[in-house]
Amino acid sequence: MRVDPVAVLPPAVLALLDAADADTLLRDAEALAEGLTDAGWAPEVESGRFGADGWDVVSSAWAPDLSMFLDGDVRMVRGAALAIATALGDRGDRWSLDTEGPDWSTWSVDDPRWQTDEIDRLLWSGRGAVISLFTAPEMPAGPGVLPAHLQLAISRADTPDEGLPRDDARDRRVAVEGSVVERWYLAGSEGLPDDVLARLEADDDGRVRAAAASERIMRAGSSRG
């Protein structure tokens, strides 16, 4: 069943799908932030985070990648996932679909196979990039319930599955010599040395300081948990 992407998806999501390319959007930190902003995504305080029309993006700069998230009613989430699949399928000249599980991209939101089949992610590749689309129904999570959700990840095809190795020397160099955008991304880097985070907390730019302060709060919460 065809779902009209323009009728279902916000312009910011469609624009980001159109911009996905290893040589432009995923070239480096500056290109990633600029591409997200140009597509209609607003940066948030936390490093690498953007938002638009109820959708969220978490992005990182080393190596450049991003994930879009949406949660809510299961029919709405499935409809959005199907619209994304349709938008990518309409660009068969650009994206090649690959999946090891059932190809649910042509199902309806109420297809009974959503309940009976093991739903796997769909993968598309093209222009040096890989797009992964995953959706899941509402499910128990600790004392509460995790709502139905989807994740759309866009990454470089040449990035190792395990990601790039830690590079403390690069991080210290970026903290001193990097652009504001690079330092903002750096503040949220996983495993960032404490002395580098402290330097970013005292950065000349308020956006970098705010991102570093947010990261410090999250670290404190994790250590208490």
Side-chain angles (χ1 to χ4, degrees), residues 80-205:
L82 292 170
I84 291 171
T86 298
L88 295 171
D90 286 347
R91 297 294 304 273
D93 59 324
R94 178 174 176 180
W95 299 108
S96 175
L97 173 64
D98 179 33
T99 177
E100 295 182 357
D103 178 6
W104 45 263
S105 63
T106 59
W107 298 356
S108 71
V109 295
D110 297 314
D111 194 300
R113 287 174 291 183
W114 289 107
Q115 307 297 331
T116 58
D117 280 326
E118 182 177 345
I119 306 303
D120 200 358
R121 62 180 180 169
L122 300 182
L123 292 173
W124 290 265
S125 57
R127 293 195 175 184
V130 176
I131 295 180
S132 169
L133 178 61
F134 173 79
T135 182
E138 181 181 279
M139 59 185 65
V145 175
L146 183 67
H149 58 279
L150 70 79
Q151 177 182 0
L152 175 74
I154 306 176
S155 59
R156 294 180 59 93
D158 58 5
T159 300
D161 291 342
E162 66 276 13
L164 297 181
R166 288 281 322 136
D167 189 341
D168 292 348
R170 178 206 62 206
D171 292 346
R172 290 189 168 91
R173 183 175 64 254
V174 170
V176 176
E177 303 173 358
S179 67
V180 170
V181 168
E182 289 174 323
R183 301 196 310 273
W184 179 70
Y185 268 114
L186 181 63
S189 295
E190 185 176 357
L192 188 69
D194 192 73
D195 65 293
V196 179
L197 181 59
R199 185 182 187 95
L200 296 174
E201 288 177 296
D203 196 273
D204 292 338
D205 189 272

Side-chain angles (χ1 to χ4, degrees), residues 215-225:
E215 177 65 19
R216 181 71 72 185
I217 291 171
M218 286 190 284
R219 287 189 180 190
S222 297
S223 64
R224 287 195 298 268

Side-chain angles (χ1 to χ4, degrees), residues 8 55 70-81 109 148 150:
V8 174
W55 292 63
L70 176 70
D71 61 45
D73 173 76
V74 67
R75 297 185 80 258
M76 181 269 289
V77 169
R78 287 176 183 167
V109 295
L150 70 79

